[in-house]
Amino acid sequence: MKNNQKSVYENCNNMIKKITRKEFLQTGAGLAALSIFPGALAQATPQYRVLGRTGLQVTTLGFGATRTNDPSFIRTALDSGINFLDTGRIYANGQNEVVIGNVIKEFRKKIIIQTKVTLELRENGEQLKTRPVAKKIQAMLETSLQESLEALQTDYLDVLLLHNLTSLPLLQHETVRSFFTEAKKSGKIRACGFSSHENQAELLRTNNSDHFYDVVMVAYNHRGSYTHTQTGRFSEWDQQALETELQTAAQNNIGIVAMKTCSGGPLSLSPDKTPSWFDAIQWVLQHSYIASAAVAMANMDELKENSRILF
Amino acid sequence: MKFGLSLLLFIFLTCNLSMGTSQDITGLVPAAAELSPIIISAAHQVYNRDNLWEYINGAAPAYLHFGFQQVVTFVVMNPDSDEAVVDIYDMGDSLNAFGMYAQEKSAKGKPVTLGSGAVIYSNSLYFWQDRYYIKLIAYSSSPAIASFLTRLGGLISARLPDRGSLPQIFTLFPLQERVPGSERYYPQDVLGQAFLNNGYSAEYAAGEDQYTIFIIPFTNGQDAGEKYASLQNAKSPVETVPEVLKNIGDAAFLYKDSYYGSVCFIQKNQFITGVAGHIQAEKMQQIFASLAQTIP
């Protein structure tokens, strides 16, 4: 879209009845917008937390982009005050990153982008250590990083995660670690990490011993399990073991992002309240070791409900 | 009677060329004799709605959004030892197959003649046909691999039912200035609104003007009217519509969108139609005039 020409809207700018996203105003959630768009009606400041040793200030509510490819909706989420976008190279075959790139290109530096690289490998265990496989891993990582940078129309990523990590050999893989080290040195990424749905405690324990990864993204909610909202798939973890490792990670200054925060179902934090998604997210954020809850959203109803958490 | 005609029109415009129940998708894997000299180097696996997540992780919600039923995936190898992963996704019907293909297609792809629509990239080939969305992804790229993928795609296409075509509703979109291959389908949450389903869009470009046209069909005018009122309520219309836009519809409304710029919607019979872009009111009026020729 070109912006150098007066639009229909701008032509009748003085006739505007109300600012856009009126329902945000009504809920009191929106239009705080405004660390991202200073001067634009900023009236409240969203809550930020520091993402561990990265030093990045992320909003407590992150926008999980996997469920939408609508640029207008993503922009609205940013207008609501969210500054932390979570995407992945494999989402919509890379088009999710393309859409986000189009949305943020004019204010890139105000947004914290976390994306993910998927290592699609059939090899495991000792096979991962062979030279051909190491070469393949290196090529996959380099290609994915380059494609993410191009799609997002940026020359750096704030956070690059290994996507859906399940095994220790990959977590500790020399090629993977040297790739991340070099990518940070070159300025192409500011921080590295991994996301995991399974075996989370063990992976965290390993990282807590060597502190290599800056950021971890884990499934975490009040139930200690999740039923996927769309697949109905059930998965559970040892909540106590996970929380022990999360606390240690926070002490080690590792940034922690929570996902699947609503997948444990609605929650009521007080007896007089109806269970809600809002309280489910609030429960996660009551734990100070969580920097941000990345919640996948697809429509305004969800955004309105969840963005109340920002203020 | 009028309701009946509206319903028929709705079904015609939005009909899926193929709908059906789940079948044994492994039957779509080409036989060894057909593939030769290509061989299957990793046997097929099938994932369904319950476990798609195990295969594609965070990409799964988008597939489920588009009606995903099941996928069969396998790996093939040509005589040069080039390998490619083949995924055949059953999206339930052809509209969803088209929708998923359109969402994942990037502008970098080169259109090729295969199935109902296909694009090829340096190391991959994507196409849709009937209720299926097919992805062939090689681990490396070269002209030889491109022809390997094309041949493989042809073999798979030959095993699939009839080809189908772009949904009929796109005949309502003006052809002039339309960007080829830019058509999209949104099964839910059109414009981020939970109450708007089954929307369609196409991109347009004319000189420096770029804009998007949306058409959302409903089963009847009353349903469209209710959703139109909800849309007006969800947005913040400018109080006074520019003079030039006043004759485009009885209740045209205009609002500002942070991304699209100006967005204008009208309701006509069972259709909600919108134009979004950083464009002048006169241009927008011309676009609506063009749409008035096609929207029944």
Side-chain angles (χ1 to χ4, degrees):
Chain A
M1 298 283 182
K2 70 189 167 62
N3 294 306
N4 58 353
Q5 176 183 349
K6 275 191 175 179
S7 68
V8 177
Y9 172 80
E10 288 159 335
N11 282 337
C12 46
N13 197 30
N14 57 347
M15 302 172 196
I16 299 171
K17 184 170 67 180
K18 282 183 185 173
I19 53 175
T20 55
R21 283 83 192 178
K22 63 184 176 188
E23 294 188 352
F24 267 122
L25 276 178
Q26 286 161 359
T27 62
L31 299 180
L34 303 232
S35 50
I36 298 175
F37 307 108
L41 307 163
Q43 305 200 343
T45 305
Q47 289 182 45
Y48 295 93
R49 289 185 187 174
V50 179
L51 188 61
R53 68 189 185 213
T54 70
L56 296 166
Q57 302 257 349
V58 293
T59 43
T60 48
L61 180 69
F63 185 84
T66 180
R67 288 176 56 215
T68 184
N69 254 23
D70 181 336
S72 170
F73 178 59
I74 294 170
R75 174 63 192 254
T76 303
L78 300 178
D79 284 352
S80 78
I82 294 172
N83 80 339
F84 181 46
L85 276 176
D86 174 66
T87 180
R89 181 92 279 265
I90 62 167
Y91 298 168
N93 192 35
Q95 291 307 294
N96 195 250
E97 289 182 337
V98 169
V99 172
I100 289 172
N102 286 334
V103 172
I104 61 152
K105 61 187 174 189
E106 285 164 20
F107 46 89
R108 163 69 186 96
K109 288 186 177 166
K110 295 182 188 264
I111 304 299
I112 310 293
I113 297 176
Q114 170 178 281
T115 190
K116 310 182 195 80
V117 48
T118 304
L119 289 175
E120 291 184 37
L121 298 163
R122 277 178 290 151
E123 299 84 356
N124 52 41
E126 289 300 306
Q127 293 172 310
L128 292 170
K129 294 179 183 168
T130 64
R131 185 179 270 189
V133 176
K135 215 171 147 187
K136 186 155 86 175
I137 290 172
Q138 179 76 22
M140 280 178 172
L141 290 166
E142 284 175 0
T143 303
S144 184
L145 171 56
Q146 198 49 43
E147 287 177 347
S148 287
L149 291 170
E150 283 173 24
L152 289 161
Q153 302 182 50
T154 181
D155 54 9
Y156 71 97
L157 303 174
D158 297 286
V159 183
L160 180 61
L161 305 180
L162 280 176
H163 200 163
N164 191 27
L165 194 69
T166 54
S167 77
L168 284 178
L170 268 183
L171 185 81
Q172 298 170 308
H173 202 284
E174 202 178 308
T175 305
V176 172
R177 292 191 171 204
S178 113
F179 164 79
F180 278 131
T181 302
E182 287 305 310
K184 282 205 277 188
K185 257 189 217 165
S186 69
K188 288 182 179 175
I189 67 171
R190 293 166 91 173
C192 67
F194 62 88
S195 69
S196 176
H197 303 73
E198 294 172 25
N199 201 19
Q200 302 185 117
E202 188 184 4
L203 295 167
L204 283 170
R205 197 173 300 124
T206 303
N207 195 51
N208 282 337
S209 65
D210 64 24
H211 312 160
F212 179 80
Y213 295 93
D214 310 302
V215 176
V216 295
M217 186 181 201
V218 293
Y220 185 47
N221 61 46
H222 62 90
R223 198 177 291 275
S225 65
Y226 68 87
T227 302
H228 196 285
T229 47
Q230 296 185 52
T231 64
R233 181 185 189 276
F234 181 76
S235 179
E236 63 184 338
W237 55 85
D238 181 336
Q239 186 88 309
Q240 197 179 351
L242 177 64
E243 290 182 341
T244 300
E245 297 306 329
L246 289 175
Q247 283 163 15
T248 308
Q251 285 159 13
N252 291 332
N253 217 7
I254 306 298
I256 303 169
V257 178
M259 61 178 162
K260 307 292 186 285
T261 54
C262 292
S263 300
L267 174 73
S268 173
L269 286 174
S270 62
D272 56 328
K273 284 171 72 182
T274 308
S276 66
W277 303 116
F278 177 85
D279 274 15
I281 302 170
Q282 193 76 281
W283 181 91
V284 171
L285 291 171
Q286 279 178 353
H287 300 87
S288 58
Y289 46 76
I290 302 293
S292 184
V295 182
M297 293 174 256
N299 61 54
M300 291 297 298
D301 293 351
E302 294 168 354
L303 178 60
K304 267 192 299 183
E305 163 84 357
N306 297 337
S307 60
R308 291 189 293 131
I309 214 112
L310 284 169
F311 305 97
Chain B
M1 183 66 179
K2 194 176 174 188
F3 174 80
L5 285 173
S6 295
L7 188 61
L8 279 175
L9 181 64
F10 177 81
I11 292 167
F12 171 71
L13 289 170
T14 61
C15 72
N16 303 325
L17 300 166
S18 164
M19 295 175 73
T21 53
S22 291
Q23 56 178 29
D24 180 11
I25 198 169
T26 59
L28 299 176
V29 178
E34 288 174 84
L35 283 170
S36 180
I38 297 170
I39 59 163
I40 292 181
S41 58
H44 70 256
Q45 290 182 288
V46 176
Y47 297 87
N48 56 35
R49 291 181 67 87
D50 293 335
N51 63 1
L52 178 64
W53 177 88
E54 290 169 14
Y55 181 46
I56 59 172
N57 192 255
Y63 281 77
L64 296 164
H65 188 72
F66 279 95
F68 167 84
Q69 300 297 310
Q70 54 182 338
V71 59
V72 60
T73 177
F74 54 100
V75 182
V76 295
M77 186 191 285
N78 70 9
D80 297 328
S81 298
D82 300 315
E83 282 193 311
V85 178
V86 179
D87 292 341
I88 304 175
Y89 289 89
D90 176 354
M91 303 304 294
D93 61 46
S94 61
L95 183 57
N96 279 317
F98 159 75
M100 194 69 235
Y101 162 81
Q103 172 156 298
E104 293 205 331
K105 181 164 62 83
S106 97
K108 286 182 178 175
K110 181 182 160 197
V112 289
T113 305
L114 183 66
S116 302
V119 282
I120 192 163
Y121 305 89
S122 61
N123 70 331
S124 56
L125 171 67
Y126 297 179
F127 70 100
W128 72 281
Q129 180 171 331
D130 194 72
R131 55 192 276 180
Y132 301 99
Y133 171 40
I134 300 94
K135 300 165 76 166
L136 314 174
I137 303 169
Y139 290 116
S140 52
S141 59
S142 70
I145 285 176
S147 64
F148 163 47
L149 294 177
T150 306
R151 175 169 178 251
L152 191 57
L155 286 172
I156 293 165
S157 172
R159 296 182 74 84
L160 300 177
D162 62 351
R163 297 188 169 190
S165 59
L166 206 59
Q168 282 292 318
I169 197 162
F170 286 107
T171 59
L172 303 183
F173 286 77
L175 278 171
Q176 197 177 0
E177 301 175 355
R178 197 197 299 182
V179 177
S182 67
E183 298 85 0
R184 297 285 182 275
Y185 165 61
Y186 311 89
Q188 297 166 29
D189 301 316
V190 186
L191 295 159
Q193 304 300 329
F195 56 85
L196 289 179
N197 298 325
N198 296 312
Y200 302 80
S201 75
E203 301 295 319
Y204 287 77
E208 288 194 333
D209 285 336
Q210 293 175 43
Y211 57 96
T212 306
I213 294 178
F214 294 91
I215 297 179
I216 312 166
F218 296 86
T219 49
N220 58 62
Q222 186 185 342
D223 191 15
E226 287 168 7
K227 297 301 190 305
Y228 188 70
S230 298
L231 183 60
Q232 283 181 298
N233 191 44
K235 300 296 179 182
S236 297
V238 297
E239 271 186 348
T240 308
V241 174
E243 206 59 37
V244 71
L245 289 175
K246 281 187 174 166
N247 61 352
I248 61 170
D250 289 341
F253 81 96
L254 181 68
Y255 67 91
K256 160 74 173 164
D257 181 273
S258 299
Y259 179 78
Y260 285 118
S262 310
V263 182
C264 187
F265 274 94
I266 61 165
Q267 183 211 339
K268 183 179 176 189
N269 301 318
Q270 74 259 45
F271 296 93
I272 292 177
T273 308
V275 177
H278 293 269
I279 53 177
Q280 298 281 8
E282 290 75 15
K283 177 66 181 175
M284 199 167 261
Q285 187 272 333
Q286 287 169 16
I287 299 164
F288 276 105
S290 177
L291 280 164
Q293 308 291 312
T294 58
I295 302 287

